[in-house]
Amino acid sequence: MQNRNSADCIVFDEQAEYCHQIASMNRGRNLKYYIETLGCQMNEADSEQISGMLIQMGYTDTLDIAKADIIVFNTCCVRENAEFKLYGHIGKLKTVKQLKEGLLIVICGCMMQQKHIVEKIKKSYKHIDIVFGTHNRHEFPKLLFRRITEKKKIYEVWEDNKGIIEKVPVKRKSIITAFVPITYGCDNFCSYCIVPYVRGREKSRNPEMIKNEIINLASEGINEITLLGQNVNSYNCGMDFPGLLYYISDISGIDRIRFMTSHPKDLSDNLIKAMKEIPQMCSHIHLPLQSGSNSILKQMNRKYTKDEYLFLIEKIRESLKDITISTDIIVGFPGETEDDFQETLQVYEKAGFDFAYTFIYSKRSGTPAANREDQIPDDVKNRRFAKLISLVNDMTLKSNINDENKVLQVLVEGKSRTDDLVMTGRTRSNKIVNFKCDTDFTGSLIDVKIVKGHTWHLEGEKI
Ligand code: SF4
C-alpha cells in the first residue's frame, strides 16, 4: 500500500538531554508548573506532552496559577474571539510576573503559528518569555534551557511539520482513558477552517509506534483509548485506518477503542466492517455534517452532498444496530439563506442524530470564507442558532429517553463533582451516566440500568 502521507520520525533524544540538564538545575527547588489548554482534544494531547516534558525537567504540576514558577498557555485559534481572550489573559499576567521573581510565561499552540500574533506578542507583551508553535513543541526543553542560560526572550516557531516526533514523555490527565494521536494536520481545506494552515499537511504516524504506545497504556491500567486526528479515517502509513484498527485489536487490556474526528468522504465500508468485527470498538461515530444544504456544502469545500451523507448514515445504521451518531453543525456560513438553514434542520432530523456540537460561523483570517462579503448579520446567525439548539436538545432528549430500561456497560470515570455519593462514567455510545453508589468503582466497567434519560445525561442504577 502506498504511504501517501506517512511522515519521517524525529526522536526526542536530543531534547531528553536538555530535560536532564534543567532537572539538575532545578533539583531541590520544588518548582511548579501550571498549564492551561484551550481548544480541541488534539491540543489536550499536546498539553499532555508538554506536561510530560515539564515533569522530566523537574517541575510538578499545580492547579493554582499563583503557586506556579512556570505558566504555559496552549492556545487555539479555531474561534475568532480566542485571540482577544488570550491577550486579556496574558495582559493580566504582567502584574503577576512583576510580583514573582523568576516566574516564566510560555505561550504555545495553534495561535502561535500565525505570524501577526507572534509579532503582536513581541511588541506589546514583553513579559512573555518563550513562544513556540505546534510543529516544534518537542523543542520546549531546548528553548527553556536557552531562556534560562542566555537570559533572552525566545520566539521560535517552525513553519511546517518536519516529521512526527516520537518518544516525547507524556503526563496523562486520566488514569482510565487516553488520547493516542495517529495523524497530524489536515489536507482538506474546508473553506472556513484554519487547521490546515496552522497544523500543516496531514501526516500519519508509524503503526508500530502507535501499537507500542497502546501496549504501554494497557500495562499502566488504561481501559479506553481514543485514536485522534483532524481526519483519522484518512490514516495511511503502510495500512489504512481499518487496517490499523485490526492491527491494534489484539492488544490485551484495552476494553474500548474510540476515534475522532472522521470525514464523511473517507468513511469506508471497510471501516464499518471493522467496527462490526472488532469487539473493542465503541458504538459511537462522530461524523461532522456542518450543513444540510448542497450549495453551502459545496462552498464549504466539504466534498459530499446531503444525499451522500444521508446514504452513509443509513449504511452505518444498517450494519451497526446500536450505533450512536453525533455531528458538528455550523450556522451562518457566508451566503447561507433561510432555505439553506431549513435544509440543515431537515437533514438533522432525517439523520436522527443522537447529539451535536453546534457552532455559529466565525471568521478565521487567512481562510477563503473570511474574505467573503456576504457575511450573515449576527442577529440572523443568533436566531438560527437558537432554532438549531432547540432541535438538537429535543432530539438528544429523545435519544436518551430511548435508552430508558436498557442495561448499559459504563466505564466509571469517578465521583460526580456535585455529589460524593454519585458516580459518573460513559457508555460505549459515549453518553454520560450518573448513578448513586456508595462504593468507588472508578476505572471499572460495570452494568447500569438506565432509569431516566435527561437532555445532558442518563440517570442509572447499578445492577
Ligand atoms: S476536515 Fe475540514 S474542518 Fe476538519 S480540520 Fe480539516 S479543514 Fe478543518
Side-chain angles (χ1 to χ4, degrees):
M1 195 175 293
Q2 192 194 356
N3 285 3
R4 174 174 58 84
N5 48 9
S6 61
D8 290 339
C9 166
I10 302 173
V11 282
F12 188 68
D13 297 356
E14 186 201 351
Q15 299 304 318
E17 185 47 40
Y18 285 109
C19 285
H20 181 69
Q21 293 196 40
I22 296 173
S24 301
M25 295 185 223
N26 286 344
R27 195 156 297 135
R29 296 178 65 202
N30 190 24
L31 298 180
K32 301 208 175 321
Y33 75 88
Y34 170 90
I35 187 162
E36 192 161 320
T37 310
L38 304 167
C40 66
Q41 287 93 344
M42 212 59 180
N43 259 17
E44 290 286 349
D46 289 353
S47 282
E48 290 188 339
Q49 288 190 342
I50 292 164
S51 297
M53 290 187 264
L54 281 160
I55 285 170
Q56 282 218 343
M57 292 187 271
Y59 294 86
T60 53
D61 69 330
T62 176
L63 297 175
D64 183 354
I65 196 167
K67 292 199 174 124
D69 300 283
I70 183 162
I71 296 170
V72 181
F73 278 110
N74 189 6
T75 63
C76 163
C77 57
V78 167
R79 313 300 304 158
E80 190 179 25
N81 60 7
E83 210 173 301
F84 304 111
K85 273 194 193 157
L86 176 76
Y87 296 142
H89 263 333
I90 60 178
K92 283 187 209 145
L93 287 176
K94 193 171 178 183
T95 334
V96 180
K97 185 152 167 127
Q98 281 162 351
L99 295 173
K100 184 161 185 174
E101 206 191 320
L103 173 68
L104 295 172
I105 305 175
V106 179
I107 316 284
C108 58
C110 299
M111 212 183 265
M112 298 307 108
Q113 292 299 136
Q114 296 179 292
K115 279 191 184 135
H116 69 279
I117 293 183
V118 176
E119 284 311 313
K120 176 145 184 172
I121 289 176
K122 266 189 198 172
K123 202 166 144 230
S124 313
Y125 298 92
K126 294 197 165 66
H127 55 293
I128 303 304
D129 294 281
I130 301 174
V131 168
F132 59 88
T134 54
H135 303 313
N136 65 331
R137 68 182 177 283
H138 65 290
E139 287 209 310
F140 178 32
K142 181 169 96 182
L143 304 180
L144 182 55
F145 183 82
R146 282 181 43 206
R147 174 67 189 98
I148 296 169
T149 54
E150 295 170 17
K151 311 224 179 302
K152 281 193 306 203
K153 304 279 153 99
I154 310 279
Y155 308 97
E156 208 159 301
V157 178
W158 288 4
E159 281 194 6
D160 205 358
N161 204 334
K162 294 181 188 162
I164 289 181
I165 297 90
E166 293 291 355
K167 305 206 173 146
V168 181
V170 178
K171 157 84 165 57
R172 309 263 171 197
K173 256 190 170 171
S174 165
I175 51 162
I176 302 156
T177 62
F179 294 131
V180 179
I182 64 162
T183 67
Y184 291 93
C186 182
D187 290 344
N188 287 326
F189 290 93
C190 299
S191 63
Y192 52 83
C193 182
I194 192 80
V195 167
Y197 306 92
V198 293
R199 287 269 176 183
R201 298 297 80 75
E202 185 178 296
K203 291 187 169 64
S204 292
R205 206 175 153 202
N206 179 302
E208 280 154 37
M209 294 287 186
I210 295 171
K211 191 165 187 172
N212 286 339
E213 181 173 342
I214 300 171
I215 291 170
N216 287 336
L217 289 169
S219 71
E220 287 163 18
I222 294 284
N223 274 341
E224 177 184 297
I225 53 154
T226 302
L227 303 174
L228 274 192
Q230 260 80 33
N231 189 13
V232 272
N233 51 351
S234 64
Y235 176 85
N236 189 340
C237 185
M239 58 182 75
D240 59 10
F241 185 55
L244 179 71
L245 294 178
Y246 286 107
Y247 178 61
I248 61 169
S249 66
D250 61 356
I251 300 173
S252 63
I254 298 293
D255 297 303
R256 294 176 163 196
I257 302 173
R258 302 187 185 280
F259 57 90
M260 85 186 289
T261 292
S262 306
H263 195 295
K265 75 174 169 50
D266 296 312
L267 203 142
S268 64
D269 291 352
N270 279 345
L271 176 54
I272 298 173
K273 188 165 165 268
M275 290 189 72
K276 197 171 175 169
E277 290 180 351
I278 300 171
Q280 300 96 312
M281 294 308 298
C282 285
S283 51
H284 171 229
I285 293 185
H286 183 72
L287 197 61
L289 166 68
Q290 307 301 13
S291 169
S293 149
N294 283 340
S295 154
I296 297 294
L297 285 171
K298 193 155 187 239
Q299 295 169 58
M300 286 178 163
N301 194 26
R302 289 293 291 174
K303 305 182 181 88
Y304 53 83
T305 64
K306 69 174 178 186
D307 288 337
E308 284 163 352
Y309 185 94
L310 286 169
F311 179 67
L312 185 57
I313 295 283
E314 219 178 287
K315 223 172 21 172
I316 295 168
R317 290 203 197 279
E318 235 164 60
S319 293
L320 307 167
K321 297 293 175 214
D322 296 328
I323 197 80
T324 289
I325 305 179
S326 58
T327 197
D328 292 340
I329 302 284
I330 297 172
V331 295
F333 184 82
E336 182 189 70
T337 63
E338 195 53 37
D339 285 352
D340 292 322
F341 174 64
Q342 289 304 326
E343 281 190 83
T344 297
L345 297 181
Q346 285 158 15
V347 175
Y348 192 93
E349 261 193 285
K350 258 195 195 163
F353 291 118
D354 296 278
F355 50 98
Y357 299 98
T358 48
F359 306 91
I360 294 178
Y361 169 78
S362 89
K363 280 202 238 175
R364 297 316 300 129
S365 82
T367 61
N371 298 331
R372 287 179 52 164
E373 282 174 6
D374 51 353
Q375 301 290 331
I376 305 296
D378 283 349
D379 60 328
V380 177
K381 289 201 265 195
N382 291 337
R383 183 171 42 76
R384 288 181 189 164
F385 189 64
K387 273 193 193 160
L388 174 68
I389 292 283
S390 156
L391 175 66
V392 168
N393 290 350
D394 284 354
M395 287 186 53
T396 304
L397 180 60
K398 216 189 267 173
S399 160
N400 288 348
I401 289 174
N402 203 30
D403 283 335
E404 288 177 3
N405 298 316
K406 288 183 187 166
V407 173
L408 301 176
Q409 185 206 62
V410 174
L411 175 58
V412 185
E413 292 179 6
K415 288 184 178 169
S416 139
R417 272 189 227 148
T418 48
D419 186 342
D420 248 16
L421 291 176
V422 173
M423 302 295 297
T424 185
R426 278 179 193 267
T427 62
R428 297 186 77 83
S429 57
N430 209 22
K431 292 185 180 181
I432 294 170
V433 180
N434 294 336
F435 60 99
K436 283 215 162 92
C437 190
D438 46 20
T439 313
D440 188 343
F441 282 103
T442 302
S444 308
L445 288 165
I446 60 169
D447 286 338
V448 174
K449 183 176 176 190
I450 305 306
V451 292
K452 193 160 176 49
H454 300 270
T455 308
W456 303 114
H457 73 280
L458 303 171
E459 190 181 322
E461 273 172 6
K462 187 188 170 304
I463 55 166

